[in-house]
């Protein structure tokens, strides 16, 4: 994956327009947050804007889902209806990828999230996302795995079926065309 190190003014303007449109269409995700304040933060943080561009490019459809008054940061989550298409068919982390002898996936969820400059959602964040809408009704998403589970070779993922959010386990080296990961970024 080739990640840009800078957005041109036109690319930045186009991305801001996409984010603004999404923000306005999905006001339930960010009540009492003003778009102009978000835009100022984005424009003053070009490195974070690059990461959001990668979230968008990999079809995560990033959107604002909260604001932290203590740190004065806006929280962006991947809000695509299904796990981002550009981030599927990945095992969980580098150790899992290295353990595969054949049929290796192109990358791992943790490595790709680091390349993009985002963090993978944990279970609580995933459940918060699901409180804002219906996501992963046909796909699933790796979530941050507790270290004690990972040490034993496992990893966890979530999805939503039957109006219920489920947390499952799998070997960390497994990968499926319908499983990706969702990330978050603070700006």
């Amino acid at each position: 994956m080739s990640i840009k190190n800078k957005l041109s003014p036109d690319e930045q303007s186009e991305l801001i327009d996409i984010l603004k449109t999404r923000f306005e269409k999905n006001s339930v995700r960010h009540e009492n947050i003003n778009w102009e304040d978000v835009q100022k933060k984005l424009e003053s943080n070009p490195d974070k804007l690059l990461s959001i561009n990668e979230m968008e490019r990999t079809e995560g459809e990033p959107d604002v889902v909260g604001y932290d008054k203590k740190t004065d940061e806006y929280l962006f989550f991947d809000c695509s209806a299904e796990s981002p298409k550009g981030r599927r068919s990945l095992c969980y982390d580098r150790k899992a990828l290295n353990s595969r002898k054949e049929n290796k996936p192109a990358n791992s969820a943790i490595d790709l999230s680091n390349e993009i400059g985002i963090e993978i959602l944990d279970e609580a964040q995933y459940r918060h996302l699901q409180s804002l809408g219906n996501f992963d009704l046909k796909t699933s998403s790796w979530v941050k795995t507790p270290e004690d589970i990972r040490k034993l070779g496992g990893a966890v993922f979530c999805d939503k079926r039957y109006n219920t959010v489920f947390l499952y386990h799998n070997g960390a080296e497994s990968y499926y065309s319908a499983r990706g990961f969702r990330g978050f970024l603070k700006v």
Side-chain angles (χ1 to χ4, degrees):
M1 170 183 254
S2 175
I3 296 177
K4 294 180 165 208
N5 59 11
K6 187 176 182 184
L7 294 177
S8 72
D10 285 345
E11 290 170 323
Q12 181 175 324
S13 178
E14 182 180 342
L15 178 59
I16 296 283
D17 288 345
I18 290 167
L19 295 171
K20 179 180 181 185
T21 299
R22 184 173 298 129
F23 182 92
E24 290 170 346
K25 283 183 179 178
N26 298 285
S27 59
V28 70
R29 296 178 186 160
H30 35 254
E31 293 175 355
N32 303 316
I33 296 177
N34 182 316
W35 171 253
E36 288 73 25
D37 296 334
V38 174
Q39 184 170 341
K40 286 177 192 171
K41 277 284 194 182
L42 289 169
E43 290 171 343
S44 66
N45 287 283
D47 290 344
K48 303 262 178 136
L49 199 54
L50 270 173
S51 293
I52 289 176
N53 187 63
E54 288 304 305
M55 292 171 82
E56 184 67 29
R57 191 183 67 75
T58 56
E59 301 182 54
E61 299 179 21
D63 197 6
V64 178
V65 298
Y67 174 71
D68 186 334
K69 290 179 184 177
K70 291 179 185 175
T71 62
D72 187 33
E73 292 175 308
Y74 294 96
L75 184 60
F76 283 81
F77 278 10
D78 286 309
C79 293
S80 54
E82 301 298 338
S83 198
K85 286 182 184 176
R87 293 188 243 146
R88 294 186 194 167
S89 295
L90 305 168
C91 60
Y92 183 72
D93 60 12
R94 174 62 48 181
K95 182 178 178 185
L97 183 62
N98 290 341
S99 75
R100 290 194 66 94
K101 301 297 182 217
E102 50 189 52
N103 301 318
K104 289 187 178 206
N107 207 340
S108 76
I110 297 298
D111 286 347
L112 185 52
S113 69
N114 290 334
E115 289 172 26
I116 293 172
I118 60 177
E119 293 184 54
I120 197 167
L121 296 182
D122 64 22
E123 181 185 358
Q125 291 166 321
Y126 188 89
R127 289 182 184 280
H128 173 68
L129 174 67
Q130 291 288 3
S131 75
L132 302 174
N134 290 308
F135 302 93
D136 286 338
L137 299 179
K138 297 176 186 172
T139 58
S140 61
S141 295
W142 288 115
V143 293
K144 188 173 181 178
T145 298
E147 193 57 38
D148 57 335
I149 293 173
R150 187 61 197 99
K151 283 180 183 176
L152 296 171
V156 294
F157 63 95
C158 292
D159 64 23
K160 186 171 188 178
R161 305 291 193 272
Y162 311 108
N163 290 323
T164 304
V165 177
F166 290 95
L167 172 72
Y168 304 91
H169 63 88
N170 217 174
E173 72 284 345
S174 66
Y175 66 98
Y176 300 93
S177 62
R179 182 175 310 146
F181 74 91
R182 294 175 181 276
F184 76 94
L185 181 70
K186 294 179 180 179
V187 181

